[in-house]
Amino acid sequence: EGGNGAVVVGAAPLAKEVGETIDQYLGTCLLAIGKEQLLPCFLASAVIVVEGVAFVGNESTETSVGYGGGVVQLRKNTTPAQFIGCLFSENVSAGGGGAIALREGGNASFDHCVFTKNRAAQAAAIYLTGSTLAVKDCKFTENTTTGAVSVMNILGVSNVTIQDTTITGNASGAAEYGTVNLGGGGSKVKLLGKVIITDNTVKDGVAQNLHLQ
């Protein structure tokens, strides 16, 4: 209403039907369920809202760390995305971002979402570089990586807000960088409200909750 946009509303029973990746590039968005194109659209300078959808068992085979995103990859000039009450579970990336990858101007927000049992080489939940991310009232648990940073790797000049969120029980296969990594390059992270980061592990030990490079 009142603008150019798209709203996708789903429910948990869709979980096992989600079979492909949402890939957005140059204003094109594609939501694929059951390996069939559900919502092809061209939404330059718009916002896509996805509410109550479960994304389970999606995979990115791209091995370059910054080009992963088992469920969605958002890049420069793509449609900003809002995810509300969504489940991201058992998604896999051979590179970075088992569930989500934001690159070079990507923009996404997550409200009341759950990220669980996602896997990646780095950042099993969200990998971002030079992008904007807002996380509110979310839960990250049982996400695992074979390499560094179990949950969220923040690189480039990124702006991140995390509010009233719990990050617990995640595991990294490497010994460094911990659970949430804030890399060099001028990124900013703002923690608001009650943010709990606890009981996460790295190889051979307990993870740093927030690692600053």
Side-chain angles (χ1 to χ4, degrees):
E1 295 182 5
N4 194 22
V7 179
V8 182
V9 180
L14 287 174
K16 293 299 181 182
E17 299 176 12
V18 179
E20 290 186 355
T21 297
I22 298 175
D23 188 19
Q24 299 194 35
Y25 187 59
L26 294 178
T28 304
C29 65
L30 167 65
L31 174 62
I33 292 183
K35 298 185 179 180
E36 294 182 2
Q37 191 177 72
L38 176 68
L39 179 67
C41 53
F42 296 87
L43 295 172
S45 301
V47 176
I48 183 169
V49 180
V50 182
E51 183 171 359
V53 177
F55 299 94
V56 178
N58 301 282
E59 181 175 6
S60 169
T61 57
E62 175 58 62
T63 57
S64 297
V65 171
Y67 290 80
V71 174
V72 64
Q73 182 182 133
L74 298 174
R75 291 170 275 186
K76 185 178 180 180
N77 298 325
T78 59
T79 305
Q82 299 176 5
F83 295 87
I84 303 170
C86 292
L87 170 67
F88 299 86
S89 180
E90 301 177 35
N91 302 292
V92 180
S93 173
I100 307 295
L102 304 175
R103 293 183 47 236
E104 301 162 1
N107 190 328
S109 65
F110 300 87
D111 192 343
H112 288 87
C113 293
V114 174
F115 291 79
T116 185
K117 298 180 180 178
N118 300 290
R119 295 178 286 121
Q122 285 188 24
I126 303 173
Y127 180 99
L128 68 154
T129 180
S131 298
T132 300
L133 171 68
V135 175
K136 181 180 178 183
D137 290 311
C138 291
K139 183 175 182 179
F140 297 81
T141 184
E142 296 184 75
N143 300 287
T144 59
T145 58
T146 55
V149 191
S150 60
V151 173
M152 193 181 302
N153 202 4
I154 304 164
L155 302 171
V157 184
S158 294
N159 290 292
V160 177
T161 302
I162 304 174
Q163 180 175 354
D164 298 323
T165 288
T166 299
I167 303 173
T168 184
N170 303 282
S172 169
E176 66 273 10
Y177 301 130
T179 306
V180 176
N181 178 57
L182 177 60
S187 292
K188 297 179 180 179
V189 177
K190 184 182 293 185
L191 304 180
L192 300 174
K194 189 175 183 180
V195 177
I196 300 173
I197 309 176
T198 187
D199 296 328
N200 302 288
T201 61
V202 294
K203 183 179 180 180
D204 302 326
V206 176
Q208 268 188 292
N209 291 326
L210 181 62
H211 180 269
L212 305 178
Q213 285 185 271

